Amino acid sequence: MTATSSSALAAPFVDGLARHELRFQRCTACGTAQTLARYACAHCGSDALAWETARGTATLHAVTVVSRAPSDAFRALAPYTLVIAQLDEGPRLMAHADPGVRIGDRVAAGFFAHDGHTLVRFSPATG
């Protein structure tokens, strides 16, 4: 897959972020949801994929604090919290999060601009 085709494949996800929507693919053949844009379902291999918009609520499955950024683009954010969050719709997503979150916390997606991109940041869910 070339960078161009990869960019086109992920465009619904990236465009959704710009509109402050968290999008994912769902296989219409088997119902599996996936956050990494693919040409085929990771579960059954079908190419019958549709884009959906998540509610934006999730449960945290992993949390880490990045003290040393892997690139210049993220150096100004360090230290920052990265999480693996399982969306209520099923798929998992790596994203930023508010400091102090813990595994098992219920969170809600928010969005922030950084380096010309819109990124996801999870915060503790209220209510």
Side-chain angles (χ1 to χ4, degrees):
M1 183 181 319
T2 67
T4 302
S5 63
S6 175
S7 298
L9 183 62
F13 179 79
V14 173
D15 294 345
L17 291 178
R19 292 188 311 271
H20 292 189
E21 297 174 352
L22 191 51
R23 312 245 8 240
F24 64 95
Q25 289 179 314
R26 183 174 305 277
C27 177
T28 60
C30 74
T32 298
Q34 57 194 28
T35 52
L36 293 177
R38 297 180 175 100
Y39 289 105
C41 174
H43 179 73
C44 74
S46 171
D47 65 355
L49 298 170
W51 284 94
E52 295 182 17
T53 301
R55 291 185 302 271
T57 50
T59 301
L60 297 185
H61 282 267
V63 178
T64 191
V65 175
V66 177
S67 298
R68 207 170 149 179
S71 68
D72 290 341
F74 290 98
R75 193 157 290 127
L77 297 177
Y80 56 91
T81 303
L82 283 181
V83 298
I84 302 289
Q86 183 162 8
L87 299 175
D88 291 347
E89 293 81 4
R92 292 185 180 187
L93 173 72
M94 180 185 289
H96 291 262
D98 290 353
V101 295
R102 296 174 172 261
I103 293 171
D105 283 357
R106 291 287 299 153
V107 292
F111 303 88
F112 71 103
H114 178 71
D115 198 34
H117 301 281
T118 302
L119 303 177
V120 179
R121 179 185 291 127
F122 285 101
S123 299
T126 57

